[in-house]
Amino acid sequence: MQNAELIKSPNDPKQYHYQLLTNGLAVLVVHQADSEKSAAALTINVGHFDDPAEREGLSHFLEHMLFLGSAHYPDAGGFQQFISEHGGSHNAWTGSEHSHFYFDVEHPSFSEGLARFADMFSAPLFTEQYVEKERQSIEAEFSMKLKDDSRRIYQVHKETINPAHPFAKFSVGNAHTLADLPHETLQAAVSRFYQEQYSAARMTLCLVSNQPLAELIALATHHFAQLPAHLPAKRPLTTPLYLAEQQAIQLNIQPHKSSSRLVVSFALPDIQPWYPYKLVSFLAHLLGDEGEHSLLAYLKGRELVNQLSAGGGIDGSNYKDFTIAFELTAAGRAHYRDIVAALFSKLHLLAQTPFPTALFLERQRLLNWSFQFFEPTTALQTAGDLSLNMQHYPVNDIVYGDYRMELPPPHLYQQLLAYFHSDNMRLMLVADDVVTTKEARWYHTPYSVESLPASWLQQLNSQPLKPALQLPQPNPYLQTELSLIPVATHMARAEQLYVDEGLSLWYKADTDFHTPKGHIFLQLALPNSSQTLQQLAASRLWVELVLDRFNEKLYAATTAGLNYFIHVHRQGISIQTSGLTANQLQLLADILQQLPDPHFNEQRFHELKQQLCRHWENSSKNKPVARLFSQLSALLQPLNPELTVLQTTLQALNFADFQHFLQPLLQQQHVEALLVGNWPRSAAQALQNQLHHWQQQQASTGKALAMSQRSIANLGPVWLTSLPEGQSDHALVIYLAALEKTPEQMACFMLANHVMSPRYFHQLRTEQQLGYLVGTGYVPINTLPGLAFYVQSPHSPAAMLYEATVAFFNGFLQQVHQLEPAEFAVFKQGLLTQLAERDTSLSARAKRLWLALGQGDYEFSLTERIQQALHELSQQTFILFLEKLLAADYDVLFLATDAAPSHSYVKAMNKHQLLSTLKVQNAFDSVSKSG
């Protein structure tokens, strides 16, 4: 099919061209004139469903191997290094029925990037050396996820379905499933699997660039016409997911992390043919309603659940599980069948009520607005989304398919509801105290299976209607028509519209993205929220209780194109609203009006306190690298203690203490605000008046607060050992911080990360196989530039990870000294390409401006100053910087699960010793004044 007409938004300036190459490869090329980089994504209709029975995980293993050398580019780390050095990124994933590969890169390097990318699929090497290394890597990935509850529960699901359905296969693979067999090595198996599964007719390719369409088609043809074309498209699945005996059952599962959840699922057929109607997501909207008279409101009123979500569940080419998930209270755990009965009452209400056309039209209207005011995405996002869409939608709907929402035929709604009966239901109870009789393979998940009583199932199908359950009312936040402010009102930069001792308001009218949306950020500095550990813990519970109270009253706003977020931040809280500007100021007014109310239900206090404590306690079961990074943040930011410390503090808090905490909470508060987007100046003035009025109603205002922070300057190299309980993996996090906050230092740290990241990954993970989780990152803490290296290993102690990293540092310094000037210029240009990327959406711009204010960058020019410093950075200066940074006596923190090497020059300390040594300082951020 050539030149098919794709339906696109009137607000979408991109040009599209679809073409089928002679080898059967479906190609979509996209001309995006303002794209910062070029991008490609390839999706293939091959996934773990296609794994041979004796080689589970082989498709996942093949995905890994494709990056490790091809006929014309045999260097195993070459693709990653090329992409990184030319300002790009890459990744891949393997799903049940599809595998997906993608990358982006600076424009001049796109053709060479495509040559390397295409060669991966047309001529992979499957070198014996890397087959063995990557088998170890898959084993390390499997080992790292052994206690991941999503995988542990997923495995129970797999073991309780039709064993003939490919969903039952073990998807990840490990050293056992990928072992050499007497009749065939893994190398031979992966080569054979590639030959039997990878073919152009099963692939969809999307290229996005600033080049003309004709040039992009020429690139696609030149690089991808040689892809193998020996296989037809795959036949659809016909094997049923469930047998009759696998329905009307209850799965009882013990989680690794403490939890109390109930999941009710109903089996649906393939829902892809229904995509033009979005009927399944509309039903999820009706069942997942959280407003007045909703199922959630009813169950919360009976103190049975804390949260509800609807519409999730596994789905594929011939199946869909529609799930309704409940987070249970203690009473809900004891009476979970009452929750199921209430759900069936709501289902019967839907079945007996005529199709709610008015509510459907509300959803349709919002989706039409989303399409009409289509927001830009990066080239990489566009390529990835469209490559996947090409696997699922007809050509004309590749762009529009996600937005198409037509009124369904009258019978279809009732046909869908007919699947929601008790004989087609499965319950999953995930709780610490369930009785189990089995252990799931691979992940050792304790579980049991029981048939549900026939009498109870019959009762469910005849549940009476409950007067408390009703359909949502017309949305009060969806009454205003949309309009765009004049282009002439666009402001090149944000300006401080108002400032006094208690309030600072910044404003930027923005028309660049032609969208009727906007963002409002508020930061409330509350001195009485952060002076003690008890206040820090209580303030987090206060926010949870506030959100819980808002949920029912403001839920309608979240279904009308509006969003709100409230979270603890620094010495107070942050409030953010976003979405359509119509009625957004009203939403913020509603939030502010209800925020000071000190009256909370004592029962909800205890429920949410326990929920929060359980969540914080579970942090002790996070993977070791994540725990070490949390510890790093807590060490250097005194107002951000470790979650386990907060959990202990909150557990001791009683309701009377909490009420005492609330009394002075809003005293001496200071507000900093930012308004960005489709806002006329009158809206900014209205916000100023609104905030002034709100502040006048509170006890008092105060000045902005200084930040409390700790510095590792002059500390020297220090090793802090942390021993996570129950963790078998070893981990090491190495943190190096700058001594000052200048743009020059930021440029040097960013460039060091840019150059070292692919080499560190390739050396420690691909070559040495020290662990699956390996990487580096530019990690500024307290606005101070920093660089972090991290490794998590199932077998190598932290001392060995340390020695490998030190050896890498030494080898890297030798390589840097041998760099040609042209190579150094390539490194700089790759990073400059990343830094020069423009905001791709209003959301990205708003967040960038808010972050700049938080850093004290009131000129919003820090990125430009970093770019200028990078332009001026000489190779010799950079080498001197690296020699100092990687020297043995540099101020560096080693956070590890194991003790320091006995022969090391690093000082070993415990946390108490380290905290007493770290320098504590209070200061405003001063990035904008430095350099």
Side-chain angles (χ1 to χ4, degrees):
M1 186 176 187
Q2 314 294 103
N3 298 311
E5 192 66 31
L6 275 71
I7 302 172
K8 69 171 191 172
S9 166
N11 198 36
D12 182 4
K14 296 189 291 293
Q15 299 172 16
Y16 301 87
H17 178 85
Y18 175 90
Q19 189 160 323
L20 205 61
L21 301 188
T22 55
N23 62 351
L25 178 66
V27 176
L28 180 67
V29 294
V30 183
H31 169 69
Q32 186 174 337
D34 63 348
S35 65
E36 300 287 347
K37 291 187 281 191
S38 297
L42 185 145
T43 305
I44 181 168
N45 185 199
V46 175
H48 83 77
F49 280 12
D50 302 293
D51 290 347
E54 74 281 7
R55 292 285 190 190
E56 291 176 303
L58 191 58
S59 57
H60 180 211
F61 181 76
L62 172 58
E63 172 225 309
H64 281 227
M65 288 303 303
L66 290 178
F67 285 100
L68 297 176
S70 58
H72 298 94
Y73 303 94
D75 181 5
F79 184 78
Q80 180 187 18
Q81 190 165 318
F82 172 84
I83 295 298
S84 178
E85 289 175 357
H86 291 85
S89 60
H90 78 285
N91 215 329
W93 52 257
T94 302
S96 56
E97 298 177 74
H98 296 89
S99 298
H100 183 67
F101 305 80
Y102 54 93
F103 78 93
D104 66 356
V105 74
E106 59 191 9
H107 295 310
S109 303
F110 192 38
S111 181
E112 185 178 349
L114 288 174
R116 294 170 178 267
F117 194 57
D119 210 46
M120 286 167 41
F121 302 104
S122 60
L125 288 180
F126 305 128
T127 309
E128 182 178 2
Q129 172 190 4
Y130 288 103
V131 165
E132 179 54 37
K133 288 180 182 293
E134 214 54 31
R135 173 163 41 201
Q136 296 176 35
S137 176
I138 294 286
E139 172 65 20
E141 178 182 0
F142 165 71
S143 174
M144 183 180 72
K145 296 286 189 176
L146 279 173
K147 295 179 180 177
D148 184 307
D149 273 326
S150 61
R151 291 200 180 189
R152 297 170 81 253
I153 295 169
Y154 200 49
Q155 184 61 32
V156 174
H157 197 168
K158 286 174 174 290
E159 293 186 9
T160 56
I161 67 153
N162 181 0
H165 194 282
F167 181 77
K169 295 178 181 178
F170 173 44
S171 58
V172 178
N174 60 16
H176 176 77
T177 67
L178 299 174
D180 289 339
L181 300 177
H183 66 281
E184 186 179 46
T185 65
L186 178 58
Q187 182 185 30
V190 74
S191 179
R192 177 172 58 83
F193 184 76
Y194 162 77
Q195 294 290 338
E196 293 175 350
Q197 295 291 343
Y198 270 54
S199 185
R202 301 176 177 185
M203 298 176 177
T204 49
L205 174 71
C206 183
L207 308 184
V208 183
S209 183
N210 63 353
Q211 299 179 53
L213 293 176
E215 291 183 13
L216 292 174
I217 280 292
L219 283 173
T221 304
H222 175 69
H223 292 298
F224 293 89
Q226 77 275 23
L227 291 185
H230 59 297
L231 300 172
K234 286 167 56 176
R235 294 179 180 178
L237 277 172
T238 56
T239 307
L241 181 67
Y242 298 114
L243 302 176
E245 62 267 26
Q246 291 155 347
Q247 292 289 66
I249 63 172
Q250 178 171 319
L251 305 178
N252 302 303
I253 304 174
Q254 277 187 8
H256 173 61
K257 291 185 175 181
S258 181
S259 179
S260 186
R261 288 185 293 133
L262 173 69
V263 180
V264 185
S265 66
F266 298 90
L268 305 181
D270 175 21
I271 65 171
Q272 183 62 21
W274 300 343
Y275 86 86
Y277 314 111
K278 303 295 182 288
L279 196 54
V280 173
S281 62
F282 178 61
L283 180 59
H285 166 66
L286 296 178
L287 289 173
D289 177 38
E290 299 179 13
E292 191 177 7
H293 300 300
S294 67
L295 177 60
L296 177 62
Y298 171 76
L299 294 172
K300 284 176 69 173
R302 294 189 61 194
E303 299 177 354
L304 295 175
V305 308
N306 287 323
Q307 294 177 13
L308 177 156
S309 63
I314 61 171
D315 65 275
S317 57
N318 78 332
Y319 63 93
K320 160 68 180 173
D321 266 2
F322 186 107
T323 65
I324 305 96
F326 305 89
E327 183 170 322
L328 306 177
T329 64
R333 167 64 186 91
H335 303 283
Y336 66 92
R337 286 191 177 182
D338 291 350
I339 296 170
V340 181
L343 168 61
F344 270 81
S345 185
K346 181 62 176 279
L347 287 169
H348 294 156
L349 171 66
L350 296 177
Q352 295 176 28
T353 305
F355 181 72
T357 304
L359 296 176
F360 184 90
L361 293 177
E362 284 186 352
R363 308 307 300 164
Q364 183 190 64
R365 185 180 180 188
L366 283 166
L367 205 54
N368 286 339
W369 279 343
S370 295
F371 185 69
Q372 179 184 350
F373 299 104
F374 189 86
E375 292 192 67
T377 56
T378 65
L380 188 61
Q381 290 171 315
T382 300
D385 291 346
L386 297 184
S387 172
L388 285 165
N389 284 0
M390 292 167 73
Q391 293 277 341
H392 299 291
Y393 295 134
V395 174
N396 63 316
D397 270 355
I398 289 173
V399 176
Y400 184 51
D402 289 341
Y403 301 89
R404 184 182 288 277
M405 189 173 184
E406 304 167 5
L407 271 171
H411 70 279
L412 193 56
Y413 180 60
Q414 288 299 328
Q415 179 184 333
L416 173 60
L417 287 174
Y419 289 102
F420 290 77
H421 59 84
S422 62
D423 293 336
N424 191 42
M425 175 186 74
R426 286 160 59 103
L427 301 186
M428 183 184 295
L429 182 61
V430 182
D432 305 336
D433 61 344
V434 295
V435 176
T436 63
T437 58
K438 300 174 181 285
E439 185 176 88
R441 196 178 184 194
W442 308 122
Y443 294 94
H444 314 296
T445 322
Y447 77 101
S448 61
V449 183
E450 60 183 89
S451 297
L452 295 171
S455 58
W456 184 58
L457 295 175
Q458 190 174 359
Q459 289 175 18
L460 290 176
N461 288 331
S462 57
Q463 275 295 305
L465 299 182
K466 297 182 185 298
L469 297 176
Q470 299 176 20
L471 293 185
Q473 295 298 307
N475 198 314
Y477 288 93
L478 197 61
Q479 301 302 313
T480 306
E481 288 299 322
L482 305 185
S483 60
L484 297 176
I485 60 176
V487 174
T489 63
H490 178 82
M491 298 166 60
R493 54 178 291 170
E495 65 178 48
Q496 192 172 32
L497 195 68
Y498 179 84
V499 62
D500 65 17
E501 183 178 78
L503 172 65
S504 172
L505 173 61
W506 294 78
Y507 165 61
K508 184 183 189 303
D510 199 304
T511 65
D512 273 352
F513 303 99
H514 313 290
T515 177
K517 295 183 178 181
H519 295 256
I520 304 175
F521 297 87
L522 299 184
Q523 182 174 307
L524 275 64
L526 305 172
N528 295 318
S529 71
S530 57
Q531 294 176 13
T532 67
L533 261 179
Q534 186 184 67
Q535 287 182 351
L536 288 169
S539 62
R540 284 159 172 78
L541 178 57
W542 172 61
V543 167
E544 293 297 319
L545 285 161
V546 164
L547 289 171
D548 184 64
R549 182 164 62 194
F550 286 174
N551 193 56
E552 183 176 326
K553 298 177 181 179
L554 301 180
Y555 181 74
T558 68
T559 65
L562 293 170
N563 297 290
Y564 66 92
F565 306 94
I566 306 175
H567 60 91
V568 174
H569 179 67
R570 295 186 181 178
Q571 297 119 313
I573 63 168
S574 285
I575 302 173
Q576 178 189 354
T577 61
S578 62
L580 302 172
T581 50
N583 288 324
Q584 193 176 149
L585 282 174
Q586 182 58 51
L587 170 62
L588 183 62
D590 293 342
I591 291 172
L592 290 174
Q593 179 184 0
Q594 299 174 49
L595 187 68
D597 185 353
H599 301 102
F600 292 101
N601 178 279
E602 186 171 358
Q603 180 62 34
R604 291 304 291 161
F605 165 84
H606 290 295
E607 288 288 356
L608 295 184
K609 171 185 163 181
Q610 289 309 115
Q611 177 181 300
L612 195 55
C613 283
R614 182 166 59 195
H615 171 69
W616 288 345
E617 186 178 15
N618 281 336
S619 71
S620 66
K621 299 177 182 178
N622 289 342
K623 58 179 178 279
V625 158
R627 293 189 61 188
L628 294 179
F629 269 112
S630 295
Q631 188 176 68
L632 173 66
S633 178
L635 285 169
L636 299 183
Q637 297 175 308
L639 297 182
N640 187 31
E642 291 182 70
L643 296 181
T644 51
V645 175
L646 286 174
Q647 184 260 337
T648 303
T649 305
L650 185 59
Q651 198 68 264
L653 185 74
N654 60 41
F655 189 59
D657 292 337
F658 181 69
Q659 290 179 308
H660 181 72
F661 156 79
L662 291 176
Q663 292 173 9
L665 182 59
L666 295 180
Q667 292 177 7
Q668 297 299 309
Q669 42 85 10
H670 179 276
V671 178
E672 182 151 18
L674 171 67
L675 190 77
V676 182
N678 185 58
W679 301 105
R681 186 167 289 265
S682 59
Q685 186 61 55
L687 176 60
Q688 177 189 328
N689 295 337
Q690 183 175 310
L691 292 174
H692 261 309
H693 177 70
W694 183 80
Q695 286 186 310
Q696 289 169 1
Q697 294 177 318
Q698 310 315 313
S700 57
T701 59
K703 297 180 180 180
L705 299 174
M707 284 185 63
S708 178
Q709 57 195 44
R710 296 189 183 103
S711 170
I712 62 172
N714 303 315
L715 187 67
V718 168
W719 186 286
L720 177 65
T721 302
S722 175
L723 297 173
E725 294 180 8
Q727 289 283 4
S728 57
D729 278 13
H730 310 273
L732 176 67
V733 169
I734 305 170
Y735 180 70
L736 305 99
L739 299 177
E740 53 186 353
K741 304 176 184 178
T742 65
E744 290 75 17
Q745 281 287 290
M746 293 177 178
C748 284
F749 271 83
M750 287 180 178
L751 186 59
N753 179 64
H754 178 71
V755 178
M756 296 170 79
S757 183
R759 291 165 172 78
Y760 187 69
F761 178 89
H762 180 71
Q763 187 61 40
L764 271 70
R765 182 187 179 280
T766 305
E767 293 293 345
Q768 299 183 40
Q769 286 296 315
L770 289 176
Y772 179 76
L773 198 60
V774 178
T776 77
Y778 176 73
V779 183
I781 298 179
N782 299 325
T783 72
L784 199 67
L787 185 59
F789 298 81
Y790 58 89
V791 193
Q792 182 172 312
S793 174
H795 49 73
S796 300
M800 185 179 294
L801 306 179
Y802 161 79
E803 289 164 359
T805 301
V806 171
F808 169 80
F809 288 167
N810 294 333
F812 177 73
L813 284 173
Q814 293 178 11
Q815 294 173 18
V816 169
H817 280 95
Q818 298 167 7
L819 272 182
E820 295 293 331
E823 292 179 283
F824 180 70
V826 168
F827 293 152
K828 288 210 310 182
Q829 184 55 49
L831 180 56
L832 283 167
T833 298
Q834 293 179 351
L835 291 172
E837 291 179 27
R838 296 191 301 274
D839 301 315
T840 56
S841 66
L842 180 63
S843 175
R845 176 166 294 169
K847 289 175 183 175
R848 177 178 60 82
L849 295 175
W850 185 238
L851 179 63
L853 288 177
Q855 293 177 326
D857 178 20
Y858 302 121
E859 300 295 322
F860 306 101
S861 62
L862 180 58
T863 300
E864 288 78 7
R865 287 182 287 136
I866 294 172
Q867 288 175 270
Q868 184 60 39
L870 188 56
H871 272 295
E872 297 171 358
L873 180 64
S874 69
Q875 184 171 347
Q876 186 58 36
T877 300
F878 184 59
I879 291 173
L880 292 173
F881 162 79
L882 289 174
E883 288 176 340
K884 182 177 180 182
L885 181 72
L886 303 180
D889 60 349
Y890 193 81
D891 300 324
V892 55
L893 276 181
F894 297 89
L895 296 100
T897 55
D898 313 306
S902 57
H903 60 276
S904 173
Y905 55 86
V906 177
K907 294 176 290 187
M909 291 186 180
N910 60 39
K911 186 159 63 172
H912 176 75
Q913 291 170 325
L914 181 57
L915 286 173
S916 65
T917 306
L918 291 176
K919 180 182 178 183
V920 180
Q921 55 191 26
N922 288 293
F924 288 105
D925 298 325
S926 56
V927 169
S928 62
K929 300 173 184 176
S930 60

